[in-house]
Structure formats: C-alpha cells, structure tokens
Amino acid sequence: MARFAPRLYRRIACFTWTSVVLAMAPFCLGQQEPVIAPPLPTIAPKAPETKTQTPERVPGPATHALTKTDAEAWLDGFFPYALQRGDVAGAVVVVVKDGAVLLQKGYGYSDVGERKPVDPERTLFRPGSVSKLFTWTAVMQLVEQGKLDLDADINTYLDFKIPPRQGAPVTLHNLMTHGAGFDEVGGLLLIYDPREPHPLREELKRWMPPRVTAPGSIPAYSNYGADLAGYIVQRVSGEPFEAYIERHIFDSLGMKQATFRQPLPQALAPWMSKGYPLASGDPKPFEIDTTQPDGALSASGGDMGRFMIAHLQNGAFGTSRILKEATAVRMHTTAWEFLPPLNRMLLGFYENNLNGHRVITHGGDLQWFHSELNLFIDDGVGVFVSLNSLGKDGAAEQIRTGFFREFSDRYFPAPLPEGSVDPKTAAANAHLITGRYISSRRPHESFLAALNLLGQTRVLATKNGSISVPDLKGLNGEPKKWREIAPFVWRNIEGSDRVVAKIENDRVVCIGYDELPFMPFQPVPWWWSAAWLLPLFAVAVVALSANTLAWPATALMRWLYGVRPGPTSPEARAHRLVRIASLLSTLMVIAWVVLIKIFSGDMGWIGPHINPWIRLLRVLSSVIVFASSAIAVWNLGMLLRGQRKWLAKLWGAVIAISCLALLYVAVVFHLVGYSAKY
C-alpha cells in the first residue's frame, strides 16, 4: 500500500465523481528451487509480551498437513485459474516453514508479449509497501545499536524540523505504528521518467504534510512517515538509504535479486517483470517511487523468502543475523491497543490474526503490482505473494486476499468465534452506529479532500437487527453479512473478520475493521456529509449546466424569429452576467472532473508536470466561485425587485443557491487557493 489508499478508499474514489457530475492470461509453471537457507534448527519464537493479545479462536485439527506435495498441488489448482479469470499476467508465491523454503513457484508470465515465464528465484516483482518492512528493520538495527531511541523526538535525528501538534513531538514509535498524525500526502508520486526524482531530503521538505491529529491518538497510514524513518536511517548511519539496506540486510541474507535503486542496476534490469493494468493489454514502464523507503523495492520471490525466514527466526538466517532475538521479538509483539479486540498495529508490521493463530503482515500496492507478506509468527510459517497486474475489476486484490484466507483455512483451520447479543440490544447497537464514516487516512487540507465527499462509507441497520456495510465486500463481490457476537463487535457470518465500534458517552468515536488496523473510520460531520451535500452538488451542476445551454438556445430562437434585443437594462446586464457565471462554473466543474480522473488513472505519465495546472485551476476556481456567487445573488435581488414572472424569480433563486453550493463545496474541500501542494 505504497501510494494509493488501500482497498476501500481507492475503489470508491475512482468512479463516483464522474457519475455524479455527468448525471486471465495463459500461464506456465515456474521452477521449484531448493532450500535457500543454510541448515539451522528452528528458533522457537518467544512467548508474546503481556500486552500482546491472544487470538480468540482455539485452533482446530488441521485437515491438511502443510507439506510441499500438498501445497504445490493446491497452488497449482488455485493460481492458474485465478490469473486467467482475473486477466492477471503473472504471480510469484513463496511458502517458508521451519527455517527453510517449503515451496516457491511462478505462475503465468513476467512478459506476456515474449511469453517469458515467472522464475520464482530470479524474476523481480515490486512488493510496494512491503518495502517498509525493510525500512523498519533498519530502524530496529540502529535502535539495538543505541543510535536511535523509539521514544525520542525525531527532530533529534533530522536536519529540518517537524512541528509539534498539541505540544507533543513525533517519535519513531509513532512513525512505525502510523500514529504520527500526518495529513495524507498525494504529491509523493509514482513516475516513469528517471530524470525527475529529487534527493530524499528535498522531497521530504517539499511535501511535508500538516499535522492533523495529535501523535498517538489514532492510526492513519502514512507513506511520509516511513520516508522520514528511511531518511533518519540514512542520516544516523552516514550511508545512503539504498546502500544501507544492501549492506546490512541484503548482504546478510544473500539477497542478490533485490534492490531499492531506481532505475534498476544493469545486472538486474533484464529480470524485472513487466507491470500490467490487464494481462490482455499493453505493459507499463518501470514505476519509480520518488521516495524510496516507502515502496521502491524490487525483489524476487526467492529473496523475499529469505527475508521471511529471518523474521520467523527472530532475526537469524543461517550464521547471519539482521536483528538480535530480543529486538525481533520486540518488533513483532509491541502492539498499539487502539480498538480491541481488532487486529492491531505493531512496530512496522500489523496483525492479520486468523483461525486462532497469530499472524503479522504487510501488504503493498503500486499501480500495477500487488503483494502481501504474512508470517504465522508462532508456527514458523511465512507466505509471500505478488502479482504483476491490477487485473479485471481489481482482481489482484481479491486473488491475494482469497489466497491467504483459503491457505489459512486449509492448513490452520479453526471454528468461527461464536457469541451473541440479545435481539433488543443488537437492534439498538446497530441503530447507534448507523451513519456515514470516513477513513482516518485521508487528505484534510489539500484539494484532494474533495475525495472525502466521494469516499464516505455507510453503515446501515438491517431488518434483522444487525448491520450492513456495503463497501465491505466478499470475494464474490457481494457485501458481507454481519452478526453481533459481543457488544459492538460484529463478525462476518462467512468468515472471521470483524467490525468493532468504539463508543464514548453514547456516541460513536470510530469504527474499525480487522483487515485495516492502520486506518479506522471516523464519523463524518454533518456539514460535509455526502447524504445531503452530494445531491445538492449534483442539482447545482445540472442547474448551472442547463442555464448555460439555455444561452445559445435562446439566441437561436431569437435569430429564427427575428427578435432583436431591446435597450440594455440593469436586469438584462444581470441576466447576461449570470449566464457567463454559469458557463464558467460549469467549465470549472468539468476541469475538476478531468483532474480527479487523471489522479484515479495512470499517474506515471503525469508526475510533477501536473502541478502548474493544479495551481492555475485552484486560482481560477477561487475567482469563479466567489464572483459567480456574488453575481447570482445580485441577479436574484434584481429579479425580486423587478416585474419578472414568479417562474423567472424562482429560477434565479435556483441559480443563486447553485452558485453558493459550489462556493461551499470549493471552500470546504479546499478547491480554492493557489498552492499545488497535495
């Protein structure tokens, strides 16, 4: 999840704006590689610290033993069909167990045009935000050396200043748990042109986001926070970030097919898988992450297996170590108890507990590559999957999620957690949390805040006294069904994932979802709720568009019937000006639609070149919405004082309200201004 709001946020925002305003590839099997780790007895993970919660299910007996033979047969049945159906070009899967690789396979193609199969040991994939685990591991290396303190003000280690919020500084612990309180930043781009990136320090200073919440108050996933941590590693170690990772992690683990360098080193470039929107379409160029620590890694499945083994063995890989055992245990078990009993943020990892087993994880998304790493930390088992295509209807997300769920149910099964709430209480609780919610990971102070109008998640009360969350869909594409199993804890009736509400003083503070512990959802304030504002905005756009179209239609009718305009009066001037205002307002909305569509499409071609256009559009919008509102109100005043019919007066009122509605939306969602910072 390196660049785009994971899952819900991206999916909702991509298509709604336009609708409001305007009314599997073939596969082949990869090679099976031998064990990649030197023989080493498995190091049993230490028991979690007391602050680590125990998963609520008692594991049941496994119906399938996790062996190479069984896993390979099952994977061979799952992936070829999934890739073909989802129009995904290729994938790599690695399963490690007891300190060694159990299975690693490539499916489909790394280059569809050349019919080049995925080689699990050598083909490079882009793990996206899974890259952050390397950044966090580097931070912990320096912590155990006494060079960094997780609880110190990060300004101690920086050569520029991060301002405090409510008197509290940001710490590395805040960064690692995504609790620093940074606004969401869209300007940290994915680009294609290798000449455009700037040094990490320059990017961090240029795109420094405002602090919008107090540190440690609520998780809000932040790429910027990970980039700050990477820059701190660079400054404290005295080595460039990419070089530090190579020397202190890659070399220790024998990761020869891995790099953070962009563009790729010459020796690795031929092994890079192409990225695809669809396998049936054309490939895209290599994506360059302008801030490397949050998502720039390129690595083979085999090398990701080495990294998983090291973490499963508490930092050990053969005779090498990337972390001391105590440091690794601290990283894996220090949890933020924000919204129990949901999965929680750890130090860099986050929980993905399933079937009574403790699982720590991280997902990653660039535009075209989609990945996930899961460690059954107490069972010595790790699973990594990466796909090189977005796929039809975002199929990559469903494939990686479905794969891990089915893998867990096959090899680590357990009965679903039970519980109940009496029907009267359940109905009251469902009614209490009904409403609209917005992710804590969102733009607050940039023009991208307009997406907040489109990305609101609804929670509805059902007839049977439960809840419905239409945006939370199952693998079949249908909304999941929920049942309350404990006060304000709802479980998916077909799975173990839960929704939990945090209640204070009989009001909902936030709701959380097991799969997104890094971005709980907060109630939407009434004054920018889409429930009323989106319909008002739509009506305003239709009215202003109709008023604009009436202009040439009226002129044509006058010409056809030979009607000449009379002497210009104040009423006539107001009428003409309000039509000009309607035209400019309509063009402004169209321009914002185009911009939002660009941001929901392929940003690699646009990159920083879009910034002057953003600045120009914001300046023009400032002029248009204020001037149009003033003109429309003036015109309404002229109509009310004049002798025009009541229908003309009513229409003047509609236009005035429409212009004021656009003004309100533009101000509330920061479409006005002059800065291109986002």
Side-chain angles (χ1 to χ4, degrees), residues 582-625:
S582 297
L583 172 62
L584 293 176
S585 297
T586 302
L587 292 175
M588 178 196 73
V589 170
I590 292 172
W592 279 112
V593 170
V594 171
L595 182 66
I596 296 298
K597 291 296 290 181
I598 288 173
F599 270 86
S600 64
D602 182 358
M603 279 298 297
W605 297 116
I606 307 301
H609 305 296
I610 201 172
N611 292 347
W613 296 102
I614 293 172
R615 185 177 290 108
L616 175 62
L617 182 54
R618 293 193 71 202
V619 170
L620 291 177
S621 296
S622 302
V623 174
I624 290 170
V625 294

Side-chain angles (χ1 to χ4, degrees), residues 134 141 239 242-258 261 303 306 317 319-322:
F134 291 82
Q141 287 178 337
E239 302 177 62
E242 302 94 322
Y244 179 94
I245 299 296
E246 288 169 358
R247 286 191 57 197
H248 300 280
I249 298 179
F250 293 166
D251 289 353
S252 298
L253 300 180
M255 296 176 65
K256 304 297 185 184
Q257 294 291 111
R261 298 184 185 274
D303 276 1
R306 291 170 166 85
F317 184 82
T319 58
S320 299
R321 270 197 173 275
I322 57 171

Side-chain angles (χ1 to χ4, degrees), residues 311-473:
H311 269 282
L312 286 167
Q313 299 194 135
N314 291 329
F317 184 82
T319 58
S320 299
R321 270 197 173 275
I322 57 171
L323 291 173
K324 293 179 181 178
E325 186 171 352
T327 306
V329 170
R330 181 185 182 188
M331 186 175 182
H332 300 158
T333 60
T334 302
W336 183 1
E337 296 278 2
F338 177 74
L339 194 55
L342 290 186
N343 291 331
R344 305 159 305 167
M345 288 304 307
L346 306 173
L347 292 180
F349 289 91
Y350 52 90
E351 290 181 331
N352 196 15
N353 296 335
L354 197 62
N355 294 356
H357 292 258
R358 196 162 61 97
V359 182
I360 64 175
T361 188
H362 211 296
D365 302 276
L366 299 184
Q367 291 190 104
W368 319 124
F369 288 83
H370 304 275
S371 311
E372 191 166 273
L373 181 151
N374 285 283
L375 303 179
F376 292 82
I377 199 69
D378 298 327
D379 301 286
V381 172
V383 184
F384 174 76
V385 60
S386 187
L387 302 103
N388 63 7
S389 314
L390 176 60
K392 182 171 57 180
D393 299 323
E397 177 187 321
Q398 292 185 331
I399 292 172
R400 72 178 185 188
T401 301
F403 160 67
F404 176 67
R405 291 280 173 176
E406 293 191 25
F407 178 91
S408 301
D409 289 342
R410 182 177 182 85
Y411 299 112
F412 301 98
L416 292 172
E418 296 299 335
S420 63
V421 175
D422 69 88
K424 184 177 180 180
T425 301
N429 291 347
H431 178 74
L432 180 60
I433 76 161
T434 297
R436 289 179 176 268
Y437 295 84
I438 191 73
S439 168
S440 63
R441 182 196 184 186
R442 67 181 186 272
H444 291 71
E445 299 185 11
S446 75
F447 73 88
L448 290 179
L451 295 176
N452 298 337
L453 185 59
L454 310 176
Q456 297 175 14
T457 295
R458 292 177 300 151
V459 176
L460 309 173
T462 63
K463 293 181 180 179
N464 63 2
S466 189
I467 63 170
S468 171
V469 188
D471 291 328
L472 299 181
K473 294 181 171 61

